[in-house]
Amino acid sequence: MRLLIAAWLLVAAQVGAAPLQVEQVAPGVYVHIGQHKDFEDGYDGDIANIGFVVGSEAVAVIDSGGSYAVGLALKEALRRVTRLPVRYVINTHGHPDHVFGNAAFLEGASPPRLIGHAMLPQMLAARGDTYLRNLNKQLGAAADKSRVIAPNETVRQRLTLDLGGRMLELTAWPNAHTNNDVTVFDAASGTLWTGDLLFIERTPFVDGDVSGWLAAMEGLARIKAGVTIPGHGPVTRDKNAALARQRDYLTILLRDVRAGIREGRDMTATMATAAASERARWQLFDVVNRRNVNLLYPALEWE
C-alpha cells in the first residue's frame, strides 16, 4: 500500500494528478481533511487539514500540505473550483505536514504572497534541513520538488487580507502549540481556521508551551465562529466543545507529568502513566502521548 501511495505522489509531482478531494464547508470555503497517520508509519504527506477561501477577486490557500505533490493536487482541486488568482498562501505554523506544498503554488510569473507568523522564518531556518531530510527518507522519490520556503511576509499580532469583498483576519499567537501559530478568520462566512491550535480526534501534539496553549484556547473560545476547521480532524460547528475536550487532555497531561516528577518516577515510567485515562478518547495516542511526555518531562523538572 505504501508503495502505491508513493507511486501516486511521484506521478503527481511529475505530471499533475487527480485533485485532492475538497468539501465546501461554508460559502467559498473549501477544505481537504487529512488522514490520521503518524510520521513514522505510512506517512504520505497528506495528514493535515488544508484548503482555500475564494473571494470575488482572488483566492487564499490556508496550509499547503506535506509535500510538493500534495500541494500540486490541492492546486488542481482549487482550479476545478475557480480560475481566480491565488493571491496568498498562509501557513498556520511551520510543521512539515502543513508547509511542504508551498512550492507548488510559488511557481509561475506572479507567485502569491507567502504569509506566516513572525517567528516562522527562524523556526524553518533551524529545522528546515532536518524536515527535508526526513521527508526524503519517508517519501523517497515522491518527495521530489518539495522545498522549505519561509514566508516573505509575517504577522506579529494581526493582519487583514483582502480577497475582494472578503476579508481574512490573521492572528499571531504567543508560544502555544508552537511558537509560530497563526489563525485565520473569514468574517464573511464565520469560518475559523485554527491550524494545530485545535486537534479533533487525533492526539494533540505538543511542540511549544502547554500553559501558553491553554491560554490561547481561552482566546479561541471567545471567537464567534459558526464553522471551525481544526489542524487535524473533522470540521466542527461546536468549537468550544472540541476545545474543552482538548483542554482536558492537556490539563491531565501536565498534571500527570508533574506528579511523576514529584513522586520520583523517571521519564520512561511517566510515559506509561501520564494521561493514560485519556487513551480511549484519542487516535494515535500511544505514539503521540509518549512524544509529548518526552518534551515536557525535562522542561517541567526545572520548574
Side-chain angles (χ1 to χ4, degrees), residues 229-250:
I229 301 169
H232 298 268
V235 174
T236 183
R237 293 185 178 274
D238 193 353
K239 162 176 59 71
N240 287 1
L243 286 167
R245 184 167 181 176
Q246 180 173 272
R247 185 181 300 110
D248 287 346
Y249 168 72
L250 293 173

Side-chain angles (χ1 to χ4, degrees), residues 2-38:
R2 188 168 185 173
L3 289 175
L4 289 174
I5 292 170
W8 176 85
L9 290 169
L10 180 58
V11 170
Q14 291 175 336
V15 299
L20 286 181
Q21 180 177 350
V22 296
E23 176 186 0
Q24 185 173 205
V25 297
V29 179
Y30 296 82
V31 61
H32 170 74
I33 301 298
Q35 309 162 88
H36 290 321
K37 293 183 176 181
D38 183 54

Side-chain angles (χ1 to χ4, degrees), residues 95-301:
H95 283 159
D97 50 318
H98 294 259
V99 302
F100 268 123
N102 288 353
F105 290 93
L106 299 182
E107 300 172 328
S110 300
R113 292 156 61 186
L114 179 56
I115 300 174
H117 194 285
M119 295 298 295
L120 182 54
Q122 179 181 333
M123 181 267 209
L124 291 176
R127 299 188 185 182
D129 288 346
T130 299
Y131 283 167
L132 188 56
R133 282 196 304 272
N134 289 341
L135 190 73
N136 283 314
K137 180 179 178 181
Q138 290 156 345
L139 300 186
D144 184 46
K145 300 177 75 171
S146 301
R147 293 185 292 135
V148 177
I149 304 175
N152 49 31
E153 184 170 343
T154 61
V155 187
R156 290 195 175 276
Q157 293 182 324
R158 296 183 184 275
L159 177 68
T160 301
L161 305 178
D162 186 2
L163 301 180
R166 188 166 206 154
M167 313 301 286
L168 300 183
E169 302 290 340
L170 278 61
T171 301
W173 297 84
N175 196 4
H177 165 65
T178 68
N179 71 347
N180 54 95
D181 297 302
V182 167
T183 56
V184 182
F185 183 66
D186 171 38
S189 67
T191 301
L192 175 66
W193 300 71
T194 67
D196 282 5
L197 286 175
L198 177 60
F199 286 70
I200 298 178
E201 297 181 346
R202 183 187 181 100
T203 308
F205 169 58
V206 179
D207 189 27
D209 177 73
V210 173
S211 296
W213 194 350
L214 290 167
M217 288 164 56
E218 294 300 320
L220 292 176
R222 291 191 290 271
I223 297 173
K224 297 185 186 313
V227 175
T228 298
I229 301 169
H232 298 268
V235 174
T236 183
R237 293 185 178 274
D238 193 353
K239 162 176 59 71
N240 287 1
L243 286 167
R245 184 167 181 176
Q246 180 173 272
R247 185 181 300 110
D248 287 346
Y249 168 72
L250 293 173
T251 302
I252 291 167
L253 177 67
L254 269 183
R255 181 199 68 193
D256 289 358
V257 173
R258 285 175 171 143
I261 293 168
R262 185 174 61 252
E263 295 164 11
R265 293 193 295 272
D266 64 18
M267 185 163 64
T268 300
T270 303
M271 285 177 178
T273 59
S277 61
E278 290 284 295
R279 178 175 283 105
R281 303 181 74 185
W282 301 96
Q283 295 194 37
L284 299 174
F285 178 87
D286 288 330
V287 63
V288 177
N289 190 66
R290 287 179 64 86
R291 291 176 188 153
N292 289 340
V293 176
N294 187 66
L295 182 142
L296 287 173
Y297 188 100
L300 295 177
E301 275 189 302

